[in-house]
Amino acid sequence: MGQEISRRTFLRGGIAAAAGLAAGSIPGAAAATAQQKEAQLATLLDISKCIGCGACVEACNETNAAKYPDPRKPFPRMYPNRVPVEDWSEKQDVDDRLTPYNWLFIQQATVNLNGEEQEITLPRRCMHCVNPPCVKLCPWGAARQLDNGISRIDSDICLGGSKCKKVCPWDVPQRQTGTGLYLDILPSFAGNGVMYKCDRCYDRVADGQLPACIEACPEDVQTVGPRDEIIQKAHMLAKEMNGYIYGEKENGGTNTIYVSPVPFEELNKAIETGKGKPHLEPVKDTMAEANNLAAAMAIAPVAGIAAAVGKFVKLARSKQ
Ligand code: SF4
Ligand code: SF4
Ligand code: SF4
């Protein structure tokens, strides 16, 4: 049976594991505490330095290829057919938008700067929100936020229902059908794959290394550090270049802070937006909305149990 887990094994062992593990692992408390915010690492991106060479995109692909989906085909049919099939496995080379096989892309804008037409390029990926709705509202506990502020989707647990994408103000997570836990438990009824996005190279960071895109950049566009220091640097840089900041306040604050010589309103008009191509609009704090706050509080214990079940499934897989 290889990587597969039988539904019976899943239900029997998973629920038992959940009972034992859930208590200490509830991932969805509704708000980020001040202490959590302090511990978070943020990235500063100086857009004025980016030359659009794509070395960061290449490095991201090389480093994270082992985490990309390897779907099983043909895909099982869904009843009812409410979650559409999304298949990027034949389009793995697409690099001008976010896909399950491309977690970072370069956005381009032609703008008027100091009376001259100029080409601006900027790397786009998950913003790693300080209080991420994708994590707080994932009903299955598959999206988690680490203490250092990195949000990641556990591909061993995700069912691909795409709640994370619906609640993400930038529609960042991208689905691949035919992979993940749903195939082992309820292939016709649950989810329809796994959601993928930048995990800020959490494994490299845990090893004391820099995220691959930061290390590969020849222009030192990105700087990483404690969020309060990064915010201070961003303000100094913005002052020096008479520029603008994006990400400090958006969605209640993110751990990705862009500094640009051009107003983000102008940039947003000039970039191509749409599916897999995030905008640069102002974003209000989605987790401050009463319905999302209440949903997060309600989901937290269930997500804790589900995450514990997922841990059991991982363990069962490793023993097969
Ligand atoms: S590697 Fe650096 S300069 Fe090149 S596109 Fe990426 S951020 Fe821009
Ligand atoms: S940008 Fe979207 S996917 Fe990334 S942490 Fe924020 S809500 Fe989640
Ligand atoms: S932090 Fe890592 S996963 Fe995220 S875009 Fe950079 S290289 Fe890719």
Side-chain angles (χ1 to χ4, degrees), residues 3-197:
Q3 289 294 298
E4 296 172 41
I5 305 276
S6 79
R7 193 183 317 173
R8 204 172 47 189
T9 314
F10 171 80
L11 291 173
R12 196 178 55 225
I15 289 165
L21 292 170
S25 62
I26 293 173
T33 63
Q35 210 177 9
Q36 280 170 327
K37 280 185 191 173
E38 259 175 43
Q40 294 195 1
L41 291 175
T43 317
L44 167 64
L45 294 101
D46 180 351
I47 294 177
S48 71
K49 286 185 177 174
C50 180
I51 55 170
C53 65
C56 51
V57 178
E58 212 172 297
C60 179
N61 280 318
E62 272 170 22
T63 304
N64 293 303
K67 299 174 192 165
Y68 292 165
D70 183 14
R72 206 187 299 166
K73 293 182 184 177
F75 301 137
R77 286 197 64 179
M78 291 222 50
Y79 304 100
N81 192 12
R82 58 193 159 73
V83 186
V85 164
E86 283 183 63
D87 182 16
W88 286 93
S89 59
E90 310 290 332
K91 298 175 281 183
Q92 295 188 27
D93 291 344
V94 170
D95 65 358
D96 64 349
R97 56 162 286 171
L98 301 175
T99 79
Y101 299 87
N102 198 56
W103 302 350
L104 170 71
F105 78 104
I106 304 300
Q107 218 161 25
Q108 292 175 321
T110 307
V111 290
N112 195 296
L113 183 61
N114 306 326
E116 276 178 41
E117 207 168 76
Q118 281 203 23
E119 185 83 356
I120 300 264
T121 51
L122 64 155
R124 297 303 305 274
R125 53 156 171 77
C126 168
M127 300 286 287
H128 293 283
C129 304
V130 168
N131 194 17
C134 60
V135 171
K136 300 295 165 78
L137 297 171
C138 170
W140 191 235
R144 321 272 184 83
Q145 187 181 40
L146 311 185
D147 288 344
N148 58 13
I150 293 175
S151 69
R152 61 174 289 254
I153 298 169
D154 190 330
S155 57
D156 285 331
I157 301 176
C158 178
L159 292 174
S162 82
K163 181 74 181 178
C164 53
K165 185 175 184 178
K166 284 189 198 102
V167 299
C168 170
W170 294 276
D171 293 342
V172 166
Q174 303 288 320
R175 178 173 44 224
Q176 173 62 46
T177 298
T179 185
L181 191 56
Y182 89 109
L183 292 174
D184 297 323
I185 51 170
L186 293 164
S188 299
F189 298 103
N192 203 354
V194 171
M195 307 301 292
Y196 292 88
K197 70 171 193 72

